[in-house]
Amino acid sequence: MIKIETRKMVFETDLKTRMDTKTNEGYIEGYFVVFGQETELWPGVYEEVHPRALDNSLKNNNILCLDNHDTRVVLGSTDSNTLELKTDSKGLYGKVKLDLEDPFAKSAFRKVSTGKVKGCSFGFNIIDEEIENREDGTVKFLLREVDIKEVSITAFPAYPTTSI
């Protein structure tokens, strides 16, 4: 039996918003994942995302943008062309187009534009990772390949290097 472990990584971000008053659509954009940056998940346990970790998953999944990992609050999706995701040397950049007539989307837009929410996260299943047991007793996980399911705006970021 194969066990699939699901994890969520959370990043502090510099979220950006903009509004199209003609179409009543808002946009939230920035980096949902930053590559090559080690972060402490909890004392003594670290994690880092390899620059190629998302490649296969981005080609093959419908990825959702959620508000705080809540599957009842879908802000956009790649299949509906309301979520654009692309990787570059820094990380996974995303832009979600929000329908501001949707009260949940309007709320998410306001939380980010007023600075109440400054973080983002992504939910994924691990396909391949390296585990390094360090001499100082700490452990580091290097995510080599993950199956990304969703990106989220969130109030409790852990990764300080993302920007959205």
Side-chain angles (χ1 to χ4, degrees):
M1 180 176 185
I2 298 173
K3 180 182 180 245
I4 297 177
E5 181 180 350
T6 301
R7 280 195 204 152
K8 293 177 182 162
M9 292 177 73
V10 183
F11 303 85
E12 185 172 324
T13 66
D14 179 20
L15 301 170
K16 304 287 186 230
T17 59
R18 62 185 169 83
M19 172 99 173
D20 183 337
T21 54
K22 293 178 186 172
T23 61
N24 200 30
E25 293 170 339
Y27 296 87
I28 297 174
E29 57 189 306
Y31 283 90
F32 285 97
V33 179
V34 173
F35 300 141
Q37 298 290 320
E38 185 176 292
T39 192
E40 189 171 25
L41 299 177
W42 57 84
V45 179
Y46 299 86
E47 194 162 65
E48 179 181 323
V49 181
H50 187 277
R52 308 294 305 214
L54 308 173
D55 290 354
N56 289 329
S57 188
L58 290 174
K59 291 184 233 173
N60 300 313
N61 285 348
N62 175 35
I63 300 167
L64 304 177
C65 182
L66 307 176
D67 188 348
N68 206 34
H69 302 290
D70 188 342
T71 56
R72 296 172 298 166
V73 186
V74 178
L75 302 174
S77 71
T78 54
D79 276 3
S80 69
N81 294 316
T82 54
L83 175 62
E84 296 175 36
L85 295 171
K86 63 181 178 180
T87 58
D88 60 22
S89 61
K90 181 176 179 177
L92 177 66
Y93 186 85
K95 177 172 70 173
V96 61
K97 178 171 71 172
L98 304 169
D99 173 5
L100 296 180
E101 292 189 21
D102 174 344
F104 293 111
K106 185 176 185 176
S107 173
F109 182 83
R110 290 284 299 152
K111 286 185 278 189
V112 172
S113 64
T114 60
K116 293 176 188 167
V117 171
K118 297 180 180 180
C120 65
S121 178
F122 73 111
F124 58 94
N125 295 322
I126 299 165
I127 295 173
D128 183 29
E129 71 181 349
E130 283 180 27
I131 301 171
E132 178 186 351
N133 293 298
R134 298 173 173 171
E135 289 183 21
D136 64 0
T138 62
V139 176
K140 177 183 172 185
F141 298 99
L142 175 61
L143 301 175
R144 292 217 160 267
E145 185 175 0
V146 300
D147 186 26
I148 185 170
K149 302 297 185 183
E150 54 94 3
V151 295
S152 285
I153 65 166
T154 185
F156 295 106
Y159 277 69
T161 55
T162 58
S163 59
I164 214 163

